[in-house]
Amino acid sequence: VALKGRNPTGNAFVVTEVIQKPFPPCPSTSLRQLSAFHESAEFLGGNPMSMVIASGPFTLNSDLSFAPLQELLEYAKATAVDTLVLAGPFVASKHPLLQPPQAPNSKLPEDPAVVYERASTLIMKFAENSKCKVVLLPNTDDVLCSPVYPQPPSDAIDCQGNRSVLCASNPSQFLVNELQCAVSSEDLLIPLSRSAVTQNVGDRIASLAALMLRNGTFVPQSPVSDSLRMDMLRRSQCDLEGSPDLLVLPSLLKTCAMRVGETLVVNPGRLCRGNSPGTFARLSVHAPVQNIRNADGSLKQDVDADALENHRLPERAR
């Protein structure tokens, strides 16, 4: 940042304005490609694009049946969701039923690999019986995944060669049609909130997300919080590619969907909170431009097909 102010006495600099970095450029796409994504029968056929975003844990503390995950997948199938993003932990290392027994002759915990197989079976069965694209992100609290951030894609869940399932890194950046999506399964807002020096900034989550976007990284603070097990040699993997259209930051802070610059920032919360049900997010994204094709599918003559259009996701999402 830069500070603007005055020093009338020579003893103290009085700040009158804080000048921050501008937001990086937002993505844009040609009208030809946008029309293909949203109006052609090959893609959305004029319908809004739907996306469901959920973050683990995906089972209650009282069992390892993954009943909440099953209900979420049934909801996604019933509502014909186009894209499903599942951010770990899938099997939390601190789950009570996976801890060593405290008393003699107590029942031994289940094998974590068996538990993962249970979750994997549910997800793969859903993917095989729907047209939905599924994106899976690990978490440092996943019992069979690397505990260091950033993380490579997890091999704990067997995608079985299913091309509709993407096992992504954590954090990850990927495209959904024209939309640039940036997702981290790690709760980055709480450690950033503890280290950020801000006052009278309005919405706390919006100001923290703005710090990430302006600095072009999921982890803008230095030094990094002790609560985040960070591999500093791979910190560049946390860099953002400009301003994404969608920034997903699961956290124990309040759930939200808000505009920060030209980015839609979403905190879907956690699907399970101990033995209580939690929350997830559903987005319905409408076309940025409409009715620019003729009945035969060709572009109208008065349309500049190569003109670039900003995505304006915060205005299009419901």
Side-chain angles (χ1 to χ4, degrees):
V1 298
L3 303 178
K4 182 178 179 180
R6 55 191 178 86
N7 186 0
T9 65
N11 297 320
F13 180 73
V14 181
V15 177
T16 58
E17 184 181 357
V18 178
I19 305 172
Q20 301 190 52
K21 289 182 180 179
F23 290 108
C26 56
S28 58
T29 303
S30 70
L31 290 177
R32 185 193 310 276
Q33 188 62 65
L34 288 174
S35 175
F37 282 141
H38 291 275
E39 295 187 338
S40 69
E42 183 183 357
F43 289 93
L44 294 170
N47 298 312
M49 184 191 72
S50 58
M51 178 184 296
V52 165
I53 306 166
S55 178
F58 291 100
T59 190
L60 303 176
N61 280 350
S62 57
D63 63 60
L64 291 167
S65 66
F66 292 96
L69 174 61
Q70 177 69 56
E71 292 182 17
L72 177 70
L73 296 175
E74 290 174 355
Y75 169 82
K77 184 177 181 180
T79 55
V81 169
D82 296 304
T83 304
L84 174 63
V85 179
L86 300 178
F90 293 91
V91 181
S93 61
K94 298 178 182 178
H95 194 287
L97 298 183
L98 294 179
Q99 305 310 306
Q102 300 297 317
N105 301 321
S106 297
K107 183 179 179 180
L108 293 175
E110 282 196 75
D111 183 349
V114 174
V115 180
Y116 258 103
E117 180 64 26
R118 196 172 299 149
S120 178
T121 300
L122 291 174
I123 295 170
M124 291 306 112
K125 183 178 179 181
F126 164 79
E128 291 168 1
N129 293 282
S130 74
K131 296 181 180 180
C132 178
K133 301 294 185 181
V134 183
V135 182
L136 306 176
L137 280 79
N139 183 276
T140 57
D141 191 39
D142 268 309
V143 68
L144 293 184
C145 297
S146 168
V148 179
Y149 188 81
Q151 293 174 285
S154 172
D155 57 2
I157 292 183
D158 183 8
C159 294
Q160 302 172 9
N162 192 320
R163 297 183 63 182
S164 65
V165 180
L166 170 64
C167 289
S169 59
N170 175 34
S172 184
Q173 298 176 76
F174 52 87
L175 288 173
V176 178
N177 288 349
E178 80 278 8
L179 298 180
Q180 177 72 38
C181 304
V183 186
S184 175
S185 70
E186 208 69 23
D187 191 338
L188 300 175
L189 292 175
I190 288 180
L192 181 57
S193 177
R194 291 169 179 165
S195 61
V197 181
T198 53
Q199 192 173 19
N200 301 324
V201 293
D203 189 279
R204 185 69 167 168
I205 294 181
S207 68
L208 297 175
L211 282 175
M212 296 181 183
L213 293 170
R214 293 183 192 276
N215 288 278
T217 176
F218 280 101
V219 188
Q221 67 268 42
S222 184
V224 176
S225 170
D226 291 340
S227 62
L228 182 63
R229 299 183 291 268
M230 182 90 179
D231 183 350
M232 299 304 295
L233 295 178
R234 294 190 290 133
R235 185 168 184 166
S236 62
Q237 296 178 20
C238 299
D239 292 347
L240 291 167
E241 301 172 3
S243 288
D245 296 301
L246 176 65
L247 178 61
V248 179
L249 300 171
S251 176
L252 292 176
L253 299 181
K254 68 174 182 178
T255 57
C256 65
M258 63 180 67
R259 179 176 190 158
V260 180
E262 293 299 316
T263 298
L264 179 64
V265 177
V266 175
N267 172 16
R270 302 293 182 182
L271 191 65
C272 298
R273 289 175 172 263
N275 284 319
S276 301
T279 57
F280 64 91
R282 179 189 170 101
L283 301 180
S284 181
V285 182
H286 296 260
V289 290
Q290 295 179 337
N291 301 321
I292 63 174
R293 285 180 178 260
N294 297 309
D296 61 0
S298 62
L299 291 174
K300 295 181 178 178
Q301 289 186 352
D302 59 346
V303 173
D304 183 359
D306 295 321
L308 295 178
E309 177 81 9
N310 289 339
H311 297 165
R312 300 178 287 106
L313 178 61
E315 301 171 16
R316 299 162 49 198
R318 301 291 183 270

